[in-house]
Amino acid sequence: MTYVGERADAPEAAETYHRWSRRYPELGTGPISTERFLSQEQFDQERDRVFAKSWLNVGSTQDLGEPGAFFVRDIAILGVSLLVVQQDDGDVQAFHNVCSHRGNKLIWEPDGTCPGQFACRFHGWGYGRDGALETVPDEENFHFPDKGQLGLVPVRTQVWNGFIFVNLDATGTESLDDHLAGLGESLRDFPFHELKLSYRFDIRERANWKVALDAQNEIYHIPMLAPLHRFLGTAFASNDDGYTRLQDFEKWGPHTVYCSDVDPDYVPTPAEAAIQAACPDFSAPRLPTRAPFAFHVLFPNMVVAFLGNSMFTYNFWPIGVDETVWEIRFHYPHPRTLAERVAIEQMKSRLRDVLCEDQVGHEALQVGLRSRARPDFVLQDQEIQIRSFHKSLDERISGASHV
Amino acid sequence: MMRFLCDTAEVPAGETRSVRLEGMPELVVCNVDGEFHVLAATCSHGKASLADGRLLGCEVECPLHSGRFDVRTGRATRRPAKRPVAVYECVVEGGDLYVSDPAPVDSDLAVALRREPASVPPKR
């Protein structure tokens, strides 16, 4: 297994400043413009040159489970509705969720299992789970020669470690593996299937999608954001002044990962101590890295993060310039005892409160940026991930990097 | 040397008060249920005065980032504060509070300062 924390170059002193900007000088040290979070033109470019051409995670095979199982995924920024279906051979295929007859949205339910055919509500056209048009009521009255040409329009679909990705660029040639490259490789051997979806939050917030992603893409704020973040646990090492320090940061093309080390001085909360005592084995980390916290940003809008024994994913879905749906899913090992089940429920409530604290922060950030009080803002070395993300975004938009 | 600090009546139970003596850093007097504790007032993290913060039981909370310190030992008890603040010996005599100048050397702060510099072993 490849460990993210392993690198060949010499270790650096823990307390040197500008550690990451020296390692990645190409990311620069300049400010980030305010306008990129407010401009409709920027948003349109992100839609046309990034979202319309990138591999996007739309769900997990855990959302399906049997042949014919499906879910509908509407992607607001692209103005599309997708029907994602598990095929008889176990593969997953996404189609435009659009009837070939009059262009009606085909399936209106959020998810379910295909009852033989997907039937349109409007005139009853029926499609197989492979997208083929099978039933046309009063077919002889139409003028088309061959209904074989009128199946659902497929969308490029690939699965990586159970995560279902689609690419709306029908002419694109980059495979999902090529897109994920080193990041995909680093997590290749991790037993994702051992972690089950335990709970999910979809947060609609009044903030640009990059505001939300950036705010999550650093741990400088962890000891400070009050009142809950500072009790997030033992996974966030800090120096003697209490400032968090990354154990590692790595960049693979447009994707990044940062890791944080154990904080030996962290004093568990009473609830943490009680849970640790009740289920000591459950909380043992099962991680693909040696760090207790690792945050992978899969360009452009997905996060796969490991925290203790859990894995969580984020998907940031732009709705408009200043509106985003932040999709959050937490996965844990299957609980073996009642105590472990209680532990998951406790984490659910606790993290819900922490995430609310984040949401309020995202929206406050947007309010501040929208005032245009400053043309730009600054980032420090522990926020290099943000710098990296924005550079990758600019490169995609300008066409400097391949798609 | 013990120096006069203030009249204990000026610091009601559950409250704090800032006192400045010549030649000493700003001090904060904390009255925990009639028991007095004196600490260096400047937070070890954010450089605000702990005298402006809340006293919660045996802990004083910094008004800037809500870090907390145990007023008996000076130990940081809540993030983001991590380093201790100096604790001064004090005595009450006839309603007056006296403080030692300088701070005694066996405080948590002194222990922390004697500690080896934090060495984080290379992870790779």
Side-chain angles (χ1 to χ4, degrees), chain A residues 243-255:
Chain A
Y243 300 128
T244 47
R245 288 290 180 259
L246 302 181
Q247 184 216 79
D248 203 4
F249 165 72
E250 201 154 358
K251 181 168 161 39
W252 289 285
H255 318 292

Side-chain angles (χ1 to χ4, degrees), chain A residues 5 11 14 19 23 223-224 230-231 238-241 243 247 261 263 265, chain B residues 44-45 65-67 75 78-80 82-83 115 117-118 120 122-124:
Chain A
R19 176 183 180 186
R23 183 179 288 181
M224 215 75 73
R230 63 194 65 186
F231 299 111
S238 57
N239 67 8
D240 278 0
D241 289 318
Y243 300 128
Q247 184 216 79
D261 216 340
D263 177 359
D265 300 326
Chain B
S44 63
H45 172 257
H65 301 126
S66 309
R75 191 169 65 87
R78 180 186 279 195
R79 301 298 169 82
K82 207 165 168 182
R83 293 181 194 272
R115 201 173 63 179
V120 179
K123 294 297 180 307
R124 42 207 161 77

Side-chain angles (χ1 to χ4, degrees), chain A residues 133-399:
Chain A
L133 176 59
E134 295 178 351
T135 301
V136 177
D138 200 10
E139 183 177 349
E140 293 72 17
N141 244 344
F142 279 93
H143 303 284
F144 52 75
D146 176 13
K147 70 172 182 279
Q149 304 298 314
L150 292 171
L152 298 177
V153 177
V155 172
R156 293 168 68 204
T157 311
Q158 287 183 10
V159 176
W160 170 76
N161 276 321
F163 296 112
I164 302 166
F165 287 77
V166 299
N167 193 320
L168 270 296
D169 181 7
T171 61
T173 54
E174 185 189 46
S175 72
L176 178 60
D177 278 348
D178 288 346
H179 170 66
L180 295 175
L183 185 143
E185 191 66 20
S186 76
L187 295 174
R188 190 188 57 197
D189 297 328
F190 182 72
F192 283 91
H193 61 274
E194 289 180 10
L195 298 173
K196 303 297 180 199
L197 178 65
S198 302
Y199 48 91
R200 168 179 175 171
F201 302 114
D202 291 358
I203 301 179
R204 198 175 182 102
E205 52 183 32
R206 288 162 297 186
N208 184 270
W209 68 283
K210 303 185 296 299
V211 163
L213 173 56
D214 289 354
Q216 298 302 308
N217 200 10
E218 45 97 352
I219 54 171
Y220 178 35
H221 69 282
I222 296 279
M224 215 75 73
L225 191 54
L228 297 173
H229 271 66
R230 63 194 65 186
F231 299 111
L232 258 174
T234 187
F236 301 96
S238 57
N239 67 8
D240 278 0
D241 289 318
Y243 300 128
T244 47
R245 288 290 180 259
L246 302 181
Q247 184 216 79
D248 203 4
F249 165 72
E250 201 154 358
K251 181 168 161 39
W252 289 285
H255 318 292
T256 56
V257 59
Y258 70 85
C259 304
S260 170
D261 216 340
V262 172
D263 177 359
D265 300 326
Y266 180 79
V267 180
T269 64
E272 282 171 333
I275 283 175
Q276 176 66 28
C279 34
D281 298 333
F282 185 61
S283 48
R286 309 178 180 201
L287 300 163
T289 72
R290 286 177 181 168
F293 182 59
F295 193 92
H296 303 73
V297 177
L298 280 60
F299 189 87
N301 70 329
M302 184 190 191
V303 169
V304 177
F306 300 89
L307 175 62
N309 69 334
S310 70
M311 172 182 73
F312 62 87
T313 61
Y314 293 157
N315 299 88
F316 297 95
W317 293 108
I319 306 296
V321 174
D322 56 2
E323 192 171 2
T324 298
V325 172
W326 177 21
E327 231 176 76
I328 300 160
R329 299 181 184 213
F330 269 86
H331 307 72
Y332 290 86
H334 187 71
R336 297 159 300 184
T337 64
L338 182 60
E340 291 181 352
R341 196 171 183 83
V342 169
I344 291 176
E345 286 300 313
Q346 193 269 347
M347 281 305 287
K348 176 181 168 182
S349 310
R350 191 172 159 205
L351 287 164
R352 175 201 59 207
D353 295 348
V354 171
L355 294 164
C356 286
E357 199 166 85
D358 281 303
Q359 183 209 355
V360 171
H362 299 171
E363 297 195 345
L365 250 162
Q366 188 73 23
V367 168
L369 293 171
R370 194 164 49 222
S371 76
R372 291 183 169 86
R374 297 195 60 90
D376 50 33
F377 56 85
V378 296
L379 296 170
Q380 68 131 304
D381 199 51
Q382 292 287 313
E383 299 172 304
I384 188 141
Q385 311 90 299
I386 297 173
R387 216 177 265 298
S388 177
F389 172 77
H390 284 277
K391 185 164 192 291
S392 298
L393 188 66
D394 286 347
E395 287 172 354
R396 285 290 162 119
I397 288 175
S398 69

Side-chain angles (χ1 to χ4, degrees), chain B residues 92-107:
Chain B
V92 178
E93 276 185 27
D96 291 337
L97 184 63
Y98 294 84
V99 65
S100 68
D101 176 15
V105 291
D106 59 348
S107 68

Side-chain angles (χ1 to χ4, degrees), chain A residues 36 39 120 284:
Chain A
R36 62 194 288 117
S39 139
C120 183

